[in-house]
Amino acid sequence: MVDLFLNRVLVENNTDQDELNTEREIVGILENRILMLFFASSECENCQEFLPVLNDFFKRLKDPAYIEYPKLLALVYISLDKSEAQQERFLNELHKKVLFLAFEDPYRNELKAMFKVKSVPTVVVLRPDGSVLSPNAVQDICSYGTDCFRDWQESAEVIERSFMLNEDFDNLNMRSATDPVRRLKQGRGETKGEGVSSYCRQASVLVPVNMVDLFVDRVLLKNNKEQDELDTEREIVMRLQNRILMLFFASAACERCQQFTPTISNFFKRLTDEFYVDRAAQLVLVYISLDQTEEEQESFLKELPKRCLFLAYEDPYRRSELQAMFNVEELPTVVVLRPDCSILIPNAAEEILCLGPDCYRNWQEAAEIIDRNFLINEDFEVKSMCSWSDPMRRLKYRFVHASGREEREKGRRVQWVHEGAERRDAGDA
């Protein structure tokens, strides 16, 4: 790999366009890396369409926001532009950690001939020993996103124990040198059921490989009076990372959704309210509205917990992509996702009705999220009392006022189970 650019000058795509012109600098940035050679031209329409996809792909494998040690990948842009001004315009759109050859360096054309580049865009992927791993990875990057890098990593036998996606930070005890590759495959459903990443979205959008990817570049709203927006990547990462996520697909026009809403609201409250749990940091509820009008969505949101999130009515992502991505065919549907975005339960509505908060413990174990500080407050006497009347007040709240609600829930559960049995019998007939 290093020999490919020895005695050449590589330039960093930053403001100062720093040059790597010594053997030591080139060895330091290329040795033991998987190398991507990106052949493109600013005049090529396909290159312009592919550029945002490549930038996002490279960002997720190089930025500390996504991985802890971004040491295994390098990207070199090989310009096939006809003028230096065209090359500069294209570089302005590229990620700042990309390297490139100066326009006046004729070696660009030698590389084109060396790797038999006949069309653009072309992404040649090389192993650390310089052998070709993929002659053109454009289609793989568009279809599989960062998943394809894991295949390259395994094929190139470049394994680094410190290379992990951030969703794996909670479990740093590796069993073997290949463990990161094995564990990262879980998001693709190869070891833990079918993951969301097996779905390919349209229009060259990257397939989500973790919870944060699912809503990156989207605006999530809080269900409070101000309807505060989570519109930055950092806010979404802080809110969703390392959580179990419930996607609640429903509509105000659906009678069964109306009947189920008090149950899921109480379920979420009992797992996130400080009255019931010590630390409410492992569960997120996102309402995916399938309403016909914005007024219907607003009326339904009033019945949902204030801590839940939702997508704006005008965002087509909720209906055109999410509904299809998770094969939602009936309402209500509660899709439960692990932190790696693989599907834990395709529809947990009936389970929530029958088991209540107890089913969350099964999800927690299945998702391998274990936090000793997250406990149901069954023994609430350990909490400090606010006054001498506090025990009576809390007992009254817990048992007397809750009794009517619990009876109503019990009735709804029985009705729900009977209706489910009737539907199944009708289907068998």
Side-chain angles (χ1 to χ4, degrees):
M1 185 79 77
V2 176
D3 294 340
L4 198 63
F5 291 101
L6 274 184
N7 303 320
R8 297 290 169 182
V9 177
L10 283 172
V11 186
E12 293 188 67
N13 187 33
N14 53 28
T15 306
D16 303 319
Q17 293 199 342
D18 301 315
E19 294 184 352
L20 307 176
N21 52 13
T22 67
E23 184 174 341
R24 180 176 177 180
E25 287 175 320
I26 292 175
V27 167
I29 205 162
L30 295 184
E31 191 174 39
N32 196 34
R33 305 290 200 276
I34 290 174
L35 179 63
M36 294 168 33
L37 300 179
F38 176 39
F39 294 86
S41 167
S42 61
E43 289 186 328
C44 168
E45 188 175 341
N46 289 337
C47 296
Q48 294 286 354
E49 292 177 358
F50 175 65
L51 187 56
V53 178
L54 180 65
N55 275 340
D56 194 65
F57 173 87
F58 189 63
K59 177 181 178 181
R60 293 178 184 282
L61 293 167
K62 291 295 287 184
D63 280 12
Y66 299 96
I67 62 173
E68 190 175 20
Y69 296 99
K71 296 179 179 179
L72 298 182
L73 185 67
L75 174 61
V76 179
Y77 169 52
I78 312 298
S79 166
L80 300 182
D81 292 302
K82 296 178 180 178
S83 70
E84 189 171 3
Q86 287 179 345
Q87 176 173 308
E88 288 298 321
R89 283 199 301 271
F90 204 76
L91 284 169
N92 289 335
E93 304 298 322
L94 272 170
H95 194 280
K96 299 306 177 188
K97 292 186 179 179
V98 170
L99 304 172
F100 66 96
L101 288 167
F103 182 78
E104 58 271 12
D105 191 340
Y107 189 52
R108 298 181 295 114
N109 294 319
E110 292 182 40
L111 288 171
K112 179 184 176 182
M114 186 185 303
F115 294 104
K116 299 178 181 179
V117 176
K118 297 180 179 179
S119 63
V120 288
T122 290
V123 177
V124 179
V125 183
L126 303 176
R127 297 181 179 89
D129 62 5
S131 61
V132 176
L133 197 156
S134 174
N136 192 359
V138 169
Q139 191 61 46
D140 283 347
I141 292 171
C142 286
S143 299
Y144 304 113
T146 50
D147 278 351
C148 64
F149 175 77
R150 295 156 191 168
D151 296 333
W152 302 346
Q153 188 184 13
E154 188 173 11
S155 175
E157 299 180 358
V158 178
I159 306 299
E160 184 173 333
R161 290 172 66 88
S162 56
F163 182 87
M164 295 174 291
L165 291 191
N166 270 349
E167 62 262 28
D168 290 328
F169 281 0
D170 57 323
N171 184 3
L172 300 178
N173 297 318
M174 299 300 170
R175 295 184 180 178
S176 70
T178 59
D179 203 50
V181 172
R182 178 184 61 79
R183 293 171 69 231
L184 289 169
K185 282 182 177 179
Q186 292 175 356
R188 302 210 302 274
E190 294 176 23
T191 60
K192 267 193 184 178
E194 186 170 74
V196 176
S197 45
S198 62
Y199 297 90
C200 289
R201 296 195 225 158
Q202 300 298 317
S204 298
V205 178
L206 283 176
V207 177
V209 296
N210 61 40
M211 197 74 78
V212 179
D213 289 338
L214 198 62
F215 292 104
V216 143
D217 300 326
R218 298 289 168 181
V219 177
L220 284 171
L221 303 173
K222 297 180 183 178
N223 188 32
N224 53 24
K225 288 183 180 179
E226 293 78 16
Q227 294 196 345
D228 299 316
E229 295 183 353
L230 304 176
D231 56 355
T232 67
E233 194 164 322
R234 175 174 179 166
E235 287 176 319
I236 292 175
V237 166
M238 294 296 291
R239 191 64 183 265
L240 299 185
Q241 196 173 41
N242 197 34
R243 308 292 201 272
I244 289 175
L245 178 64
M246 298 193 301
L247 299 179
F248 178 35
F249 293 85
S251 167
C254 169
E255 186 177 347
R256 286 170 58 80
C257 296
Q258 295 284 358
Q259 294 173 353
F260 179 66
T261 299
T263 302
I264 193 171
S265 295
N266 186 54
F267 174 87
F268 185 66
K269 178 181 178 182
R270 293 179 75 90
L271 290 167
T272 57
D273 195 307
E274 293 176 0
F275 182 85
Y276 299 100
V277 292
D278 287 329
R279 180 176 293 181
Q282 293 182 321
L283 187 67
V284 178
L285 173 63
V286 178
Y287 170 50
I288 310 299
S289 163
L290 300 182
D291 294 301
Q292 299 298 321
T293 66
E294 189 170 4
E295 289 73 20
E296 286 183 350
Q297 176 173 309
E298 289 297 323
S299 67
F300 202 80
L301 284 168
K302 291 176 181 177
E303 306 300 320
L304 287 171
K306 301 304 178 189
R307 294 188 184 188
C308 83
L309 304 172
F310 67 98
L311 288 166
Y313 179 79
E314 58 270 13
D315 190 342
Y317 184 55
R318 60 190 175 83
R319 182 181 289 273
S320 62
E321 296 187 47
L322 285 175
Q323 185 180 9
M325 188 183 297
F326 295 104
N327 298 318
V328 176
E329 297 178 351
E330 64 175 357
L331 299 180
T333 289
V334 181
V335 180
V336 183
L337 302 177
R338 298 181 179 92
D340 64 4
C341 216
S342 60
I343 297 174
L344 199 155
I345 301 174
N347 190 1
E350 190 165 337
E351 187 175 347
I352 291 170
L353 274 166
C354 295
L355 301 179
D358 285 344
C359 64
Y360 174 76
R361 293 160 185 170
N362 299 331
W363 303 350
Q364 192 181 19
E365 185 175 356
E368 297 179 359
I369 293 185
I370 304 300
D371 185 348
R372 296 179 65 87
N373 293 315
F374 185 90
L375 303 169
I376 302 293
N377 267 347
E378 296 167 349
D379 300 323
F380 55 79
E381 65 268 18
V382 299
K383 292 184 74 79
S384 59
M385 303 304 176
C386 297
S387 68
W388 66 270
S389 62
D390 195 57
M392 292 301 297
R393 178 184 63 78
R394 296 173 70 228
L395 282 169
K396 181 179 180 182
Y397 174 82
R398 192 178 180 99
F399 297 109
V400 177
H401 290 298
S403 60
R405 182 184 63 226
E406 290 174 359
E407 287 297 324
R408 289 193 297 274
E409 282 188 21
K410 184 177 180 181
R412 277 196 297 270
R413 291 173 189 168
V414 171
Q415 180 184 358
W416 185 282
V417 172
H418 284 320
E419 289 178 358
E422 289 174 1
R423 287 199 307 276
R424 285 192 292 270
D425 292 340
D428 294 339

